Amino acid sequence: MAEAGASSSPDVAAPGDAGEVGPGRRGKVLLAAPRGYCAGVDRAVIAVEKALDHYGAPVYVRKEIVHNKHVVATLSRRGAVFVDETDEVPEGATVIFSAHGVSPAVHEAAAQRQLKTIDATCPLVTKVHKEAVRFAKDDYDILLVGHDGHEEVEGTAGEAPQHVQLVDGPESVDAVTVRDPEKVVWLSQTTLSVDETMQTVERLRERFPTLQDPPSDDICYATQNRQVAVKKIAPGVELLIVVGSANSSNSVRLVEVGLQHGADAAYRVDHAGEADEAWLEGVSSVGVTSGASVPEILVTDLLAWLAERGFGDVEEVRTASEDLLFSLPRELRADLKTAAAMKA
């Protein structure tokens, strides 16, 4: 089913490999698993890599392909050009839509400029888009639980703008208005905190007792798995460090989840260079994890940084195994298949 490659998943030192480095042992590291790349991110990053290989640079990408500075910088060096909107792309050029999804209006704008489009929207986000279309067709009021301004929310809401109303957390529930309380459904941004989402839904259900649930869970499996892993290690660590970028919703949520479930302190860093040695003062146990758009090499670098400071004893704590893979976008698959046939 999948066409995943190895280029976006660097080799990783096994937990504990750095145990002999540093000025003596000061403490232990609990390394959460699962962590890092999810299937949708892996698919999107590989799509850009293969597009660059096949079409040559430049290949344009609308928005960040995934929310991670390291990934964007790496792809930029290879010839990917990241733009905010399709009108920045030369007519007739190739543009890739990010893993977060886009609205029909973006597809239309690209078509008007005769752009060749490759849609790298995560299939789990596409599922939510289809749910929005379905419920809008049945004339439901759709309450979309998510964060205002997030690209995924904009894409989903754009599928049915006359029917979708954003609910940005429990505190926004009182402002919700619907046409018919008997025809209301909630959908969700895929990268939210499970706990916060359910708090919002409970508040909504207090106002609208017949509120309908989505046909299947909207919060992505990887988001849930990473939060469960953090919940497992948080009670046993004094410090939690989450590797992930500031605009990565799921990475930011992991910091919140860690604090809510027992970590004395929690910080998010883009890379090891942002870690502060002062955080380790008086600490004997450190938890480490990473958001779903983070390549494992950044976690490896952080583990090395910790090992140099006496935290080289690493224990991986696994709460789930992930083997889901997604095929490359169909437009890219078709072109690669044609190219392979011509070479045969």
Side-chain angles (χ1 to χ4, degrees):
M1 177 172 67
E3 300 179 41
S7 58
S8 59
S9 301
D11 292 337
V12 184
D17 280 2
E20 300 305 319
V21 180
R25 294 191 176 185
R26 293 174 59 189
K28 185 173 185 176
V29 175
L30 297 183
L31 179 61
R35 62 184 176 275
Y37 272 11
C38 63
V41 164
D42 198 44
R43 171 184 186 260
V45 173
I46 293 172
V48 178
E49 293 173 340
K50 288 191 175 295
L52 286 166
D53 291 340
H54 180 68
Y55 306 114
V59 168
Y60 294 85
V61 184
R62 184 184 180 273
K63 307 293 188 183
E64 294 185 353
I65 187 67
V66 296
H67 285 161
N68 183 266
K69 289 182 179 179
H70 175 87
V71 172
V72 170
T74 300
L75 293 174
S76 294
R77 288 193 293 270
R78 289 195 56 184
V81 178
F82 294 88
V83 300
D84 286 329
E85 297 298 342
T86 54
D87 60 10
E88 300 173 55
V89 181
E91 289 195 9
T94 298
V95 62
I96 300 177
F97 295 143
S98 78
H100 309 103
V102 299
S103 69
V106 174
H107 284 282
E108 293 168 8
Q112 289 174 3
R113 293 183 61 78
Q114 298 181 321
L115 303 180
K116 176 181 176 58
T117 60
I118 297 172
D119 191 353
T121 302
C122 173
L124 300 180
V125 174
T126 299
K127 177 183 75 71
V128 181
H129 281 216
K130 290 180 178 178
E131 290 171 354
V133 171
R134 167 191 159 187
F135 284 107
K137 184 177 179 181
D138 292 336
D139 202 30
Y140 273 77
D141 280 324
I142 302 168
L143 306 182
L144 178 58
V145 180
H147 293 306
D148 190 16
H150 192 280
E151 291 159 38
E152 182 186 328
V153 166
E154 292 175 352
T156 301
E159 293 285 356
Q162 302 305 314
H163 290 80
V164 174
Q165 184 173 170
L166 179 63
V167 185
D168 193 348
E171 66 281 355
S172 300
V173 170
D174 290 342
V176 172
T177 60
V178 299
R179 294 168 300 159
D180 181 355
E182 300 299 315
K183 292 197 70 173
V184 185
V185 63
W186 71 273
L187 301 179
S188 173
Q189 179 182 328
T190 63
T191 56
L192 297 183
S193 158
V194 178
D195 295 336
E196 181 184 358
T197 299
M198 296 320 298
Q199 290 173 13
T200 303
V201 172
E202 288 169 8
R203 289 281 305 275
L204 286 169
R205 187 158 278 122
E206 289 173 3
R207 291 201 57 199
F208 311 110
T210 60
L211 177 70
Q212 188 166 327
D213 295 324
S216 60
D217 196 348
D218 282 350
I219 296 179
C220 139
Y221 78 95
T223 297
Q224 296 189 56
N225 286 347
R226 280 146 192 73
Q227 291 177 12
V228 168
V230 166
K231 290 178 183 180
K232 180 72 172 180
I233 67 171
V237 301
E238 295 154 285
L239 168 67
L240 174 69
I241 303 178
V242 176
V243 184
S245 293
N247 61 341
S248 168
S249 177
N250 74 88
S251 298
V252 173
R253 301 288 86 72
L254 288 174
V255 174
E256 297 171 355
V257 170
L259 291 171
Q260 292 165 357
H261 288 84
D264 295 334
Y267 300 94
R268 179 204 54 77
V269 298
D270 263 297
H271 50 77
E274 292 184 352
D276 188 340
E277 195 161 354
W279 298 344
L280 301 175
E281 293 180 8
V283 169
S284 61
S285 56
V286 179
V288 171
T289 190
S290 58
S293 52
V294 177
E296 186 68 7
I297 187 63
L298 299 183
V299 176
T300 304
D301 289 346
L302 178 62
L303 293 178
W305 182 88
L306 288 166
E308 290 169 358
R309 289 153 180 81
F311 291 83
D313 182 9
V314 180
E315 176 188 348
E316 185 175 73
V317 179
R318 179 169 294 279
T319 56
S321 296
E322 296 176 351
D323 56 8
L324 181 64
L325 296 172
F326 292 132
S327 297
L328 289 171
R330 59 179 178 80
E331 307 93 343
L332 181 58
R333 287 203 315 272
D335 286 354
L336 293 176
K337 183 177 180 180
T338 299
M342 292 177 65
K343 291 179 180 180

